[in-house]
Amino acid sequence: MRRIAMFTMGTRGDVQPYIYLSRGLIRKGYDVSLGSHPCWRSLIEGAGISFLPIGPDIDIEKEAAAIRGKNPNPVFSMIKCMNFIMKIIQKSSSEIYEACKGKDLIVVTHSQMGAVEAGVLGIPTVNVTLQTQMINEKLKEKTFKDKLIGGMIAKQVAKPYNKIRKKYGLKAVKTADEIMSDKLNLIPISKYVLERNPYWEEKNVITGYWYEDQEEYNPDDSLKAFLSSGEKPAILALGAMSFEDKADKQKLDMFVKAFKKTGCRAILQGFQKSIKDYELPDSMIAVGSIPHSWLFRQGRFVIHHCGFGTSSAAMIFGIPSIPVPHVLDQLGFALQLEKKDVATKHIDGNKLSEDAITTAIEEMKSRYDILKKNALEISEKIKEENGLEEAVRLISQC
């Protein structure tokens, strides 16, 4: 039996794609282990995957919330979060190295975890890329300016991996490309959402999204009663962006008041600290973690932060979006949704207001029929791609 390991760090959105990939590989008979923060043990083991605890036992979503709270600027916030995660990855290299031993293949996730360690051990690798801006346009004829700017950026991207390489007595690389697989880089995005860049090497393959069509979920009686008591609700799903370092009732108030003003029933996820002593009207209900494959089918539209997982789920399950991006890569995914006309104009997550939310909901209402039609059409195309099966097939050929 072929033994595969992969490692990922960050919030749930950084873990979920690899849960889907792991399960797809397991169904094909592979022995798969998935390594991440100890806080994700129950999530990963609950999915039937062998778990490898990597790094300190911290609540990563709480830590990320604290960093965001201190850095309202979306660029600085993203850089601070990335630096925080990269320091954990560097300190965890010995654990990753030991976990790689005896494996036949390492799937190197979007954070490049395991790439250096697999190289030292001589284990083949396959890469995964979520942010396509990070893929080198190697087939493009570059100007002197392109080379200069690209070289500066590449040097900064490679810097944290060179610290890991130094640990093993390896010489520094100039670009992160040098530690990537020369065989295969999987891009789990739909070709109906992202056009393939003609300057990419052949090894960069758009597979289609990875997901499971109907994850098992049994709602409690209160949620069942809420759903049956009226029209389909709006869904507020800001992911890790609604995980609070401290109570922020002002932000929660904005959404509640906007829902009231526009006459929307709503399901609210997150805001656990703010909602603790908050009295919601009967037209709204607070819920915990619910699989998107179930939840999004119950809603009329979804307001979300445009993380990779939530943005893809909205298109997979055919529900229109009100995007509220908070950091730079989320803005990119928000613009993808706008370009496909399955979303309203996005709201800057750092300039939230009751008026901005209300305006977006009114736009959603006025354009709902066309946005919903477009969302359903792209959903059907995505499902025909069978992205997860394609990724497993490609890995099996390596």
Side-chain angles (χ1 to χ4, degrees):
M1 183 185 292
R2 200 175 184 196
R3 294 158 297 181
I4 298 175
M6 57 189 92
F7 310 90
T8 184
M9 285 193 173
T11 61
R12 179 163 182 170
D14 294 299
V15 178
Q16 194 66 54
Y18 305 108
I19 288 178
Y20 293 139
L21 181 59
S22 295
R23 283 165 62 101
L25 288 164
I26 290 168
R27 285 192 291 271
K28 288 294 184 182
Y30 293 100
D31 178 357
V32 182
S33 299
L34 178 55
S36 192
H37 304 280
C39 65
W40 295 125
R41 177 185 289 275
S42 60
L43 176 68
I44 293 170
E45 289 185 341
I49 303 163
S50 175
F51 175 67
L52 299 168
I54 301 293
D57 191 0
I58 59 173
D59 187 328
I60 186 60
E61 295 197 323
K62 182 178 179 180
E63 296 290 342
I67 293 170
R68 287 193 304 272
K70 294 173 186 174
N71 298 276
N73 181 286
V75 177
F76 291 146
S77 177
M78 185 179 75
I79 291 171
K80 288 282 186 182
C81 281
M82 286 175 61
N83 287 342
F84 178 72
I85 295 293
M86 283 309 307
K87 284 179 182 177
I88 296 176
I89 292 173
Q90 289 165 23
K91 290 177 181 178
S92 303
S93 180
S94 296
E95 295 173 78
I96 295 167
Y97 179 84
E98 290 300 318
C100 285
K101 286 181 177 178
K103 301 298 187 289
D104 302 305
L105 178 72
I106 304 300
V107 175
V108 178
T109 64
H110 62 284
S111 60
Q112 296 281 16
M113 285 181 72
V116 175
E117 294 82 0
V120 173
L121 291 165
I123 302 171
T125 61
V126 165
N127 276 86
V128 178
T129 298
L130 304 185
Q131 285 85 20
T132 54
Q133 310 93 295
M134 303 301 292
I135 300 174
N136 194 337
E137 296 179 318
K138 281 200 172 180
L139 304 183
K140 183 178 182 179
E141 188 174 339
K142 296 179 178 66
T143 64
F144 174 76
K145 183 180 179 181
D146 290 334
K147 291 177 182 177
L148 182 65
I149 296 173
M152 291 170 62
I153 295 171
K155 187 177 180 180
Q156 288 304 308
V157 172
K159 194 173 181 180
Y161 304 109
N162 280 330
K163 290 181 180 179
I164 298 174
R165 291 177 65 81
K166 187 176 181 180
K167 173 184 173 71
Y168 297 100
L170 301 174
K171 67 177 184 179
V173 294
K174 293 181 180 179
T175 73
D177 279 0
E178 294 177 54
I179 62 170
M180 287 186 70
S181 169
D182 59 0
K183 294 179 180 177
L184 181 63
N185 178 38
L186 300 167
I187 305 163
I189 301 175
S190 171
K191 65 185 177 185
Y192 299 108
V193 175
L194 177 76
E195 290 183 16
R196 192 182 190 284
N197 189 321
Y199 299 114
W200 289 346
E201 293 176 286
E202 190 176 341
K203 70 174 183 179
N204 299 297
V205 182
I206 295 174
T207 63
Y209 289 117
W210 302 344
Y211 68 98
E212 291 177 352
D213 194 51
Q214 187 65 62
E215 295 173 78
E216 289 183 17
Y217 181 73
N218 184 31
D220 61 25
D221 290 342
S222 61
L223 181 52
K224 285 179 183 176
F226 177 80
L227 288 169
S228 64
S229 66
E231 64 180 17
K232 280 193 169 188
I235 296 169
L236 178 62
L238 295 180
M241 297 301 160
S242 65
F243 192 99
E244 307 148 300
D245 180 39
K246 56 186 178 181
D248 187 0
K249 291 186 178 178
Q250 184 180 4
K251 185 180 287 186
L252 179 58
D253 259 340
M254 292 177 190
F255 285 103
V256 171
K257 288 178 179 177
F259 288 138
K260 280 183 179 178
K261 189 180 290 186
T262 54
C264 284
R265 282 161 42 84
I267 293 175
L268 283 66
Q269 285 191 304
F271 296 102
Q272 282 87 349
K273 292 187 177 181
S274 297
I275 220 153
K276 206 171 184 179
D277 303 311
Y278 197 101
E279 191 172 338
L280 287 173
D282 292 341
S283 59
M284 300 174 209
I285 187 171
V287 299
S289 179
I290 296 176
H292 290 156
S293 60
W294 185 89
L295 181 61
F296 284 13
R297 286 185 166 98
Q298 317 307 316
R300 182 168 169 79
F301 62 89
V302 58
I303 302 174
H304 61 95
H305 63 301
C306 289
F308 176 83
T310 315
S311 299
S312 57
M315 287 186 280
I316 291 164
F317 302 112
I319 183 170
S321 300
I322 294 179
V324 189
H326 289 67
V327 294
L328 209 57
D329 61 331
Q330 294 170 0
L331 176 58
F333 294 128
L335 294 176
Q336 278 185 355
L337 294 171
E338 289 180 34
K339 184 178 179 181
K340 293 298 170 184
D341 204 18
V342 294
T344 65
K345 182 174 173 55
H346 71 272
I347 305 170
D348 184 335
N350 297 286
K351 295 178 181 177
L352 265 180
S353 69
E354 181 187 335
D355 285 345
I357 299 165
T358 300
T359 298
I361 293 174
E362 294 294 358
E363 181 189 344
M364 174 62 70
K365 286 185 169 186
S366 68
R367 300 194 62 237
Y368 186 78
D369 288 346
I370 186 63
L371 295 178
K372 179 65 175 177
K373 176 177 175 289
N374 292 342
L376 288 173
E377 285 179 356
I378 202 165
S379 172
E380 288 303 311
K381 291 177 180 177
I382 285 168
K383 289 174 181 176
E384 289 172 2
E385 286 179 294
N386 296 314
L388 182 56
E389 289 79 2
E390 176 64 4
V392 171
R393 185 187 70 80
L394 290 166
I395 289 172
S396 70
Q397 293 178 347
C398 289

